[in-house]
Amino acid sequence: FCPTGSIQEVSHIERLYAAIAEGKTIVAQTAPAVRVSIGEECGVPAGEVSTGKMVAALKALGCNYVVDTDFTADLTIMEEGTELISRMQKKWAATPEQADKMGPMFTSCCPSWVNNVETRFPDYLDNLSTARSPMMMMGSVVKTYFARKMDIKPEDIFHFAVMPCTAKKGEIDRMQMVTGGMKVVDAVLTTRELGKLIRKHHIDFPALPNAEFDSPIGNSSGAGRLFGTTGGVMEAALRTAYEILAGKPLGTLSYTPARGLSGIKEASVEIPLKDGPTKTLRIGIASGISNANNMMHDIRAGRRRYDFVEVMACPGGCLGGGGQPKSLDPRILEKRQSAIYTDDERATQRKAHENPEIQQIYKEFFGEPNSHKAHELLHTAYADRAHLVKQPPTDTFNDVNTAV
Ligand code: SF4
């Protein structure tokens, strides 16, 4: 029994076959961590970025369109970054005692982490960012903006996501994610399931020519690509939030304190506000659920104080997700992480707000970050579900789950 639902694996492959047989328009999205690991399933050495071949394989499997979850990772930065700025402005205006009581804002893109807060730390529900995960944002965008652009009825679209994650299979069924009476993501295939399909259909993956994602929701900045690793959401958010608050770029694009595979990382960022004094943003990053739980107990006890905390339930973040290829290589997480950093460096734009397709979607559809329409389609709510689990008797989880 997994308390966060992250080890539940139910195959959704039959849903895809049924949708193809029904003649639906098939739209796939692929997460940042999948392109650096799918090759391991299909004869490509670990640590290579296989984005173009992955898109080509999905087209060969019958997808009409393949769009990029990294695009909605950029959208997440716009929405979550705006929310962070607004929370921080209130916090910086408060007294130190009031600011302490406010606590940090937590990221919300990992469904296992969200389940964990809802069941074990419901007193922190208001601290979770209301931004939906990039996968769920993409579902909303595909069945509204993209459907309209392509002149397809939303009900004729079958939209599935290829994820490194088994918990994502449960996230698509959250009732808070139903939009306009519709489920926005119809199925989730893990990286391993995609590998299985590619092999079953005898697709020669290494020999495939590179294919491109479909526009106008297929372009991503390097920031969006970082979501596949621990520290990536933080680094991506800092690139945009710092620039908005300070009116100038963060000195370095590769923010070293957020990098690497440590289970807990922390740092302070000094932000010279463009219209005021210099303020400090205290950041925390946890990967692996036991590290996150220990960090939570420290926060509650006042032993750690942060303003913005990124949590990913899997060791190393999504690159070590439950749906990723199994490997006996002791350096596998390092290799996948290095591939993600390379993918960031190769991007034409490195910051979410500089992605031209992000600028276009706000201009044509959402208006501005955190607008009414953005709240309706890109944000969510949470519920106290503490009654579903027996609470542990101690204030540490080390005896339950070994820290990484
Ligand atoms: Fe899923 Fe793990 Fe990534 Fe969380 S960290 S979204 S559980 S793969």
Side-chain angles (χ1 to χ4, degrees):
F1 172 71
C2 173
T4 60
S6 64
I7 57 168
Q8 167 195 39
E9 186 160 16
V10 179
S11 176
H12 288 177
I13 289 176
E14 293 309 319
R15 293 187 193 182
L16 172 60
Y17 284 147
I20 292 173
E22 277 176 50
K24 296 255 186 191
T25 299
I26 311 294
V27 183
Q29 60 164 305
T30 62
V34 175
R35 66 207 65 193
V36 299
S37 60
I38 184 64
E40 296 165 35
E41 289 278 315
C42 311
V44 172
E48 286 200 16
V49 186
S50 302
T51 312
K53 292 183 191 306
M54 174 188 68
V55 175
L58 283 161
K59 291 268 170 99
L61 286 167
C63 295
N64 302 95
Y65 300 98
V66 183
V67 295
D68 197 357
T69 318
D70 296 14
F71 167 81
T72 34
D74 280 341
L75 199 56
T76 301
I77 290 305
M78 301 304 290
E79 293 298 318
E80 196 172 81
T82 304
E83 186 184 348
L84 175 68
I85 289 169
S86 147
R87 287 187 191 233
M88 287 314 301
Q89 281 165 341
K90 283 187 198 133
K91 206 169 177 180
W92 286 329
T95 64
E97 294 73 30
Q98 288 169 332
D100 255 1
K101 278 193 195 139
M102 289 179 193
M105 183 176 100
F106 295 104
T107 56
S108 55
C109 50
C110 170
S112 295
W113 164 239
V114 168
N115 287 345
N116 196 52
V117 177
E118 288 186 325
T119 51
R120 297 193 183 276
F121 301 100
D123 45 329
Y124 281 94
L125 284 178
D126 288 343
N127 293 71
L128 275 176
S129 163
T130 60
R132 294 184 186 191
S133 68
M135 176 184 82
M136 298 311 299
M137 283 197 187
M138 181 56 93
S140 301
V141 166
V142 163
K143 296 213 176 168
T144 55
Y145 175 73
F146 187 72
R148 194 187 296 173
K149 283 246 171 208
M150 298 295 148
D151 198 19
I152 312 166
K153 287 187 192 147
E155 58 271 27
D156 290 341
I157 293 175
F158 177 83
H159 179 45
F160 76 99
V162 186
M163 293 281 137
C165 180
T166 44
K168 291 272 171 196
K169 288 175 187 269
E171 188 184 15
I172 62 174
D173 290 328
R174 282 177 70 89
M175 62 182 183
Q176 298 97 321
M177 300 291 185
V178 172
T179 306
M182 220 177 1
K183 252 178 90 166
V184 292
V185 180
D186 298 296
V188 172
L189 267 59
T190 61
T191 314
R192 280 199 304 275
E193 283 176 307
L194 176 60
K196 200 165 145 187
L197 273 181
I198 291 170
R199 292 193 301 275
K200 185 176 169 189
H201 289 264
H202 306 293
I203 294 170
D204 184 357
F205 189 84
L208 283 172
N210 288 332
E212 299 280 332
F213 285 111
D214 289 291
S215 278
I217 50 176
N219 188 61
S220 66
S221 76
R225 299 176 187 191
L226 290 171
F227 269 55
T229 174
T230 169
V233 181
M234 180 63 71
E235 188 171 338
L238 280 178
R239 287 182 191 176
T240 289
Y242 185 97
E243 198 161 318
I244 291 172
L245 285 166
K248 59 180 182 184
L250 184 64
T252 171
L253 280 175
S254 303
Y255 186 65
T256 318
R259 297 209 161 193
L261 288 166
S262 304
I264 291 184
K265 293 172 270 192
E266 51 187 17
S268 288
V269 187
E270 297 298 316
I271 307 179
L273 301 182
K274 63 181 172 206
D275 47 7
T278 294
K279 294 286 185 187
T280 305
L281 184 76
R282 299 161 300 178
I283 61 173
I285 298 164
S287 71
I289 205 69
S290 58
N291 292 321
N293 285 333
N294 286 331
M295 181 189 267
M296 285 302 285
H297 289 294
D298 283 350
I299 290 171
R300 190 181 266 157
R303 293 188 290 266
R304 291 180 191 266
R305 287 186 172 78
Y306 302 117
D307 300 308
F308 186 29
V309 175
E310 178 208 291
V311 180
M312 304 304 274
C314 297
C318 296
L319 51 85
Q324 290 284 62
K326 303 288 181 202
S327 174
L328 294 174
D329 182 347
R331 293 186 55 237
I332 191 66
L333 297 185
E334 221 177 294
K335 288 179 184 172
R336 291 176 188 165
Q337 189 179 52
S338 159
I340 283 179
Y341 293 148
T342 303
D343 205 22
D344 164 34
E345 280 156 23
R346 283 182 190 160
T348 313
Q349 298 90 27
R350 304 278 302 277
K351 302 168 199 162
H353 59 282
E354 290 179 353
N355 179 344
E357 289 189 353
I358 288 290
Q359 293 166 354
Q360 185 185 352
I361 201 172
Y362 277 110
K363 193 169 164 210
E364 292 180 3
F365 195 66
F366 286 118
E368 59 186 8
N370 287 198
S371 66
H372 179 72
K373 194 168 201 166
H375 264 283
E376 194 187 332
L377 295 174
L378 306 178
H379 289 252
T380 188
Y382 307 104
D384 180 343
R385 297 190 292 131
H387 59 283
L388 295 179
V389 295
K390 191 176 166 207
Q391 298 297 322
T394 66
D395 82 336
T396 173
F397 281 70
N398 275 335
D399 53 338
V400 179
N401 205 345
T402 307
V404 286

